[in-house]
Amino acid sequence: MELGECTRNPGYQDVDGGGSAADTVNHEEPEERRDSTALKLDADAEYTQIKPYAGMPKELVLLHSSKARYRVPREIMFWLIVASTLALVALTVTVIALSPRCLKWWQVSPVYQVYLRSFRDSDGDGVGDLKGIQEQLDHFQYLNIKSVWVSPFYRSPMRDSGYDVEDFRAIDPLFGTMQDFEELLAQMHNKGLKLIMDFIPNHTSDRHRWFNLSRTGDPHYKDYYVWTDCNGSAPRPNNWVSVFGNSAWTYDEVRGQCYLHQFLKEQPDLNFRNPHVRKEMTDIIRFWLEKGVDGFRVGAVKRLMEATHLRDEPQVDPNKAPASVASEWDLHHDYTTSQLGLHDLLRDWRAEMDAYSREPGRYRFMVSESYDYHEVDKTMMYYGTPLVKESDFPFNFHLLDLPQNTSGLWVKHLVQLWMANMPRGQWANWLVGNHDKPRIASSAGQTYIRVINMLLLTLPGTPTTYYGEEIGMENINVTDSQTQDPAGKYNASASRDPQRSPMQWSGDMNAGFNNKTNITWLPVHPNYTSINVEVQREDEGSVLAQYRFLSALRQSELALQRGWFCYVHADASVFSYVRELDGLNRAFLMVLNFGKESAITDLSSVRELPDQLKVLKSTNQVNDGKALQKSGIPTEAGESLVIQYSTSTRFNPSHPEQCYVSEKACYLSAIDILYKC
């Protein structure tokens, strides 16, 4: 029957209306009539069906959907969805806009320096190698280390322990092969570790192909190095001196000129005023970035360029006979360091690394090494400018002077020297040792190794740990016959061998450094049976256990990662500071005794601190968990405390002149996020 008849037929109702359509339709219409019937409602017909029913045709669906009781809820739902979507988008944009930058991988953990020759020997030749590092990757994870800086492993004649490079694109066989390097890098990335290479652009080895072509006068390579006319019988064009002593010039008989070397005579300086040299070194950076390395430590950056006029440098002592000037300390290095054009060069390299940093999670890191000593302003220039970036940070060498005066006031002075001069918004760095400087456990004493490690791991910024500092390794004694360092061969007191002894892994043969043969390139320290990784991993009160705890605490606590750093107290013994984050009710008070005697520190004048305090971690394990009064905090010489406390009152708003933060952020506990404030 036609649809119009159905709607007018009182029997065609739903169950609630007294029956079904099947009960009222008792006959079949001819096939021809069904085919020719138009399924439509008469224009003037009255629609009497009250409720929709299952299986009704689309015309009825449209009629029902147009009714207010169905249309209005549908429109309300539609606009609610639109409003909710817009609100969610707006909230997302707001959170992104207000959120501070995420910390990068080189900010979230210490940087661990591996001196490759001394870390782990895998093949029994007495020298550490790339496979040796791969065997010990779990050590970095145990310490919550994410960033590993490895000393040079380029092909080299080894006149300066690998800092004289013969081929920047090859691995020296002493350390392994390119395949060993690629396997190490892959394994490190699989474990979430980052590899920072040593980049040595100032000079090459005198066996480098470029130097051999330059000394023979090849037109392309002629000016790859710094050459000048000189007298072969007295090759000293000016009074410039080498870092290792004596003249920085050496006469080359093949070319008949002198070449500049600010280090050994086997390490001729490159001429970075030559655009071809700049391109060569940029290509080398690109080569290793393509391999997948995560960053570079750029060495001796202040010496990359020299003044072209080659004038004599001013003497520190004008009355000293010019002929007796033989040490770098005899001169003011006005013409051989920090020359015009240096920072342009570093910015070019930074731009190259930025081009490889676009992939998420693959930021390429750059740190510069420049010993500027009291000229702090020169060091700060390596951060770049607000518009043009250079290094992520320059190395901070000021804490190397800690042993000169063990007092809280001296430590505060060294910390303030960096914090007061660091450009706004930049990231600090701290270290107390490296392959060129004596080990801090020897220069300051074992009494202070724990308090120094606590200082490093609780200051704002990125700490750098030289291998072995996590267990308190000390310098070794090296005889003349055992000396390997060229600096030590010139001057025994300047030898860097004592701080480069093999890593002390265990109490086994050779301290576990080489367990295949009884050979080590330098002697192992005699105390290796008591000071080693294996022993200290079993001791909850060891230097290693403390280092591991503090590294994990730094990584897990926002206040230590990116919070305010505020000076609280300093005297002849104690240096104390607070780490806090706005909006976070958990803060940390550090009390570090660098003095020679026990001390009681009265912080009752610091109203932002609660009267009752509790020690979270002490370098003296028996004091862990101890309750203290802020009016009398006791510490022994060399002891340091991490005190965690709860407060809603911040120290930094009332003492802005005593506080620093790299990038201000606040914590919103209601939704557990950070935001700019």
Side-chain angles (χ1 to χ4, degrees):
M1 61 173 58
E2 292 186 357
L3 183 56
E5 295 179 56
C6 292
T7 60
R8 291 192 295 271
N9 186 347
Y12 195 84
Q13 303 291 335
D14 57 19
V15 176
D16 293 335
S20 68
D23 296 332
T24 62
V25 179
N26 299 317
H27 61 278
E28 289 189 24
E29 294 183 273
E31 187 70 28
E32 297 82 6
R33 184 175 178 183
R34 287 199 305 270
D35 293 341
S36 62
T37 301
L39 292 175
K40 64 179 182 177
L41 292 173
D42 296 338
D44 58 349
E46 181 183 357
Y47 178 64
T48 61
Q49 179 68 35
I50 298 175
K51 294 183 179 180
Y53 57 90
M56 61 183 175
K58 64 180 181 181
E59 288 80 359
L60 286 182
V61 173
L62 292 172
L63 283 172
H64 278 291
S65 65
S66 64
K67 287 188 174 184
R69 60 175 170 172
Y70 299 114
R71 187 185 71 253
V72 173
R74 186 172 67 250
E75 291 178 353
I76 291 173
M77 290 295 295
F78 171 77
W79 288 113
L80 281 175
I81 291 172
V82 171
S84 299
T85 302
L86 291 175
L88 185 60
V89 170
L91 179 62
T92 302
V93 171
T94 302
V95 169
I96 293 173
L98 293 179
S99 295
R101 291 174 298 169
C102 293
L103 295 182
K104 296 182 174 67
W105 55 263
W106 51 272
Q107 296 173 306
V108 298
S109 89
V111 171
Y112 188 100
Q113 182 189 354
V114 168
Y115 190 70
L116 184 53
R117 299 175 70 93
S118 299
F119 194 65
R120 167 73 175 169
D121 175 18
S122 70
D123 57 11
D125 65 355
V127 178
D129 46 49
L130 295 171
K131 284 188 175 180
I133 297 177
Q134 189 171 338
E135 291 176 356
Q136 297 294 342
L137 292 182
D138 289 344
H139 181 63
F140 305 132
Q141 293 186 303
Y142 178 76
L143 296 177
N144 298 292
I145 298 289
K146 304 294 183 187
S147 312
V148 181
W149 156 34
V150 182
S151 63
F153 44 78
Y154 308 103
R155 180 176 294 161
S156 167
M158 298 295 165
R159 295 303 301 267
D160 186 19
S161 302
Y163 286 88
D164 50 325
V165 180
E166 182 179 348
D167 187 347
F168 284 99
R169 291 180 172 88
I171 307 292
D172 195 276
L174 187 67
F175 302 128
T177 64
M178 185 62 77
Q179 182 178 348
D180 293 338
F181 168 78
E182 291 169 351
E183 289 178 358
L184 170 64
L185 186 60
Q187 285 297 314
M188 289 183 68
H189 286 170
N190 287 341
K191 292 177 178 289
L193 302 172
K194 304 292 186 180
L195 189 148
I196 302 167
M197 280 184 64
D198 235 324
F199 182 48
I200 312 154
N202 179 70
H203 50 264
T204 70
S205 165
D206 60 352
R207 295 188 188 179
H208 197 289
R209 183 177 66 90
W210 300 343
F211 186 73
N212 288 322
L213 290 168
S214 184
R215 70 198 297 242
T216 56
D218 183 283
H220 181 76
Y221 294 94
K222 180 180 179 181
D223 295 325
Y224 263 46
Y225 296 83
V226 181
W227 296 93
T228 191
D229 293 331
C230 65
N231 185 339
S233 60
R236 190 164 175 160
N238 56 32
N239 70 347
W240 296 1
V241 294
S242 159
V243 169
F244 292 110
N246 299 319
S247 177
W249 298 95
T250 291
Y251 180 75
D252 180 68
E253 294 182 354
V254 174
R255 179 151 168 162
Q257 285 186 306
C258 283
Y259 64 87
L260 177 69
H261 54 88
Q262 295 201 59
F263 293 87
L264 295 175
K265 66 182 179 63
E266 292 86 2
Q267 295 170 293
D269 276 35
L270 286 164
N271 175 20
F272 277 100
R273 300 191 186 280
N274 183 334
H276 295 296
V277 173
R278 296 169 81 118
K279 183 180 183 302
E280 293 272 17
M281 299 310 284
T282 301
D283 288 344
I284 288 167
I285 289 175
R286 191 178 296 119
F287 172 83
W288 291 105
L289 291 175
E290 291 283 352
K291 289 283 185 184
V293 300
D294 301 288
F296 294 96
R297 171 263 194 184
V298 188
V301 289
K302 73 176 183 179
R303 302 180 184 276
L304 289 176
M305 305 188 84
E306 307 80 20
T308 56
H309 52 63
L310 305 185
R311 297 172 189 158
D312 280 357
E313 291 188 312
Q315 294 183 196
V316 173
D317 179 5
N319 298 319
K320 189 171 186 175
S324 64
V325 171
S327 164
E328 65 169 326
W329 308 110
D330 292 335
L331 300 174
H332 295 292
H333 299 288
D334 294 346
Y335 306 139
T336 54
T337 64
S338 305
Q339 296 299 296
L340 190 65
L342 164 63
H343 291 281
D344 293 331
L345 180 60
L346 294 176
R347 289 164 191 165
D348 288 344
W349 291 342
R350 173 73 264 174
E352 190 66 32
M353 282 183 262
D354 284 344
Y356 283 83
S357 299
R358 293 170 185 156
E359 182 182 346
R362 292 306 309 274
Y363 181 83
R364 308 307 175 99
F365 168 73
M366 175 175 161
V367 57
S368 53
E369 178 220 30
S370 179
Y371 287 92
D372 295 304
Y373 303 102
H374 62 282
E375 297 179 303
V376 186
D377 56 325
K378 288 186 177 180
T379 305
M380 296 301 163
M381 292 179 69
Y382 294 108
Y383 278 113
T385 70
L387 297 178
V388 185
K389 186 177 179 181
E390 291 184 28
S391 301
D392 291 292
F393 56 71
F395 275 136
N396 173 7
F397 298 115
H398 294 296
L399 290 185
L400 292 171
D401 293 335
L402 271 174
Q404 293 181 14
N405 182 351
T406 51
S407 78
L409 288 169
W410 177 243
V411 177
K412 180 184 177 181
H413 164 72
L414 296 177
V415 172
Q416 177 70 353
L417 196 59
W418 190 269
M419 298 304 291
N421 289 282
M422 184 174 67
R424 183 183 179 88
Q426 295 294 352
W427 192 260
N429 163 259
W430 313 95
L431 61 81
V432 293
N434 59 29
H435 59 289
D436 289 328
K437 300 298 178 180
R439 288 192 174 275
I440 196 69
S442 292
S443 56
Q446 277 289 346
T447 301
Y448 299 97
I449 186 63
R450 295 168 184 264
V451 66
I452 289 172
N453 276 341
M454 185 172 284
L455 176 73
L456 281 181
L457 292 166
T458 57
L459 283 172
T462 298
T464 300
T465 294
Y466 184 49
Y467 83 98
E469 285 177 354
E470 72 273 28
I471 58 173
M473 279 180 59
E474 299 176 353
N475 291 345
I476 59 170
N477 293 319
V478 179
T479 64
D480 290 343
S481 62
Q482 294 170 328
T483 297
Q484 303 288 328
D485 180 28
K489 293 176 181 178
Y490 282 103
N491 178 2
S493 64
S495 177
R496 298 166 296 180
D497 287 334
Q499 59 263 28
R500 298 178 176 181
S501 62
M503 178 66 177
Q504 294 164 206
W505 294 106
S506 69
D508 298 335
M509 179 179 69
N510 302 321
F513 165 73
N514 173 11
N515 54 18
K516 295 185 176 180
T517 62
N518 196 20
I519 303 173
T520 57
W521 79 286
L522 280 174
V524 175
H525 198 289
N527 68 8
Y528 76 91
T529 55
S530 58
I531 298 180
N532 65 66
V533 172
E534 187 175 77
V535 166
Q536 293 195 16
R537 285 185 72 156
E538 301 300 320
D539 180 3
E540 293 182 357
S542 67
V543 175
L544 180 67
Q546 174 202 286
Y547 184 99
R548 183 176 184 237
F549 174 86
L550 292 171
S551 178
L553 184 69
R554 179 186 181 276
Q555 191 171 340
S556 62
E557 291 291 343
L558 287 172
L560 293 175
Q561 272 192 0
R562 61 190 310 160
W564 287 92
F565 164 76
C566 300
Y567 300 112
V568 170
H569 177 83
D571 59 28
S573 295
V574 172
F575 176 44
S576 182
Y577 51 93
V578 161
R579 300 300 311 278
E580 63 184 18
L581 184 72
D582 293 320
L584 190 67
N585 63 2
R586 187 169 61 254
F588 296 89
L589 170 68
M590 314 299 167
V591 181
L592 299 90
N593 189 337
F594 287 91
K596 300 183 182 303
E597 335 180 305
S598 59
I600 296 179
T601 305
D602 181 4
L603 299 181
S604 57
S605 62
V606 184
R607 60 181 179 80
E608 292 84 359
L609 293 175
D611 293 333
Q612 298 287 333
L613 299 169
K614 186 175 181 180
V615 176
L616 175 66
K617 186 69 175 178
S618 169
T619 52
N620 184 356
Q621 192 179 13
V622 299
N623 291 328
D624 288 354
K626 183 177 289 187
L628 302 173
Q629 296 285 331
K630 73 173 180 180
S631 58
I633 303 175
T635 51
E636 299 295 325
E639 183 182 6
S640 54
L641 310 174
V642 177
I643 298 172
Q644 180 179 312
Y645 63 95
S646 297
T647 181
S648 58
T649 305
R650 297 286 165 266
F651 186 87
N652 70 83
S654 303
H655 307 82
E657 72 286 351
Q658 296 175 233
C659 298
Y660 299 87
V661 69
S662 177
E663 182 180 8
K664 188 177 178 182
C666 294
Y667 178 72
L668 186 59
S669 58
I671 53 177
D672 191 28
I673 65 166
L674 284 174
Y675 64 95
K676 295 177 184 176
C677 53

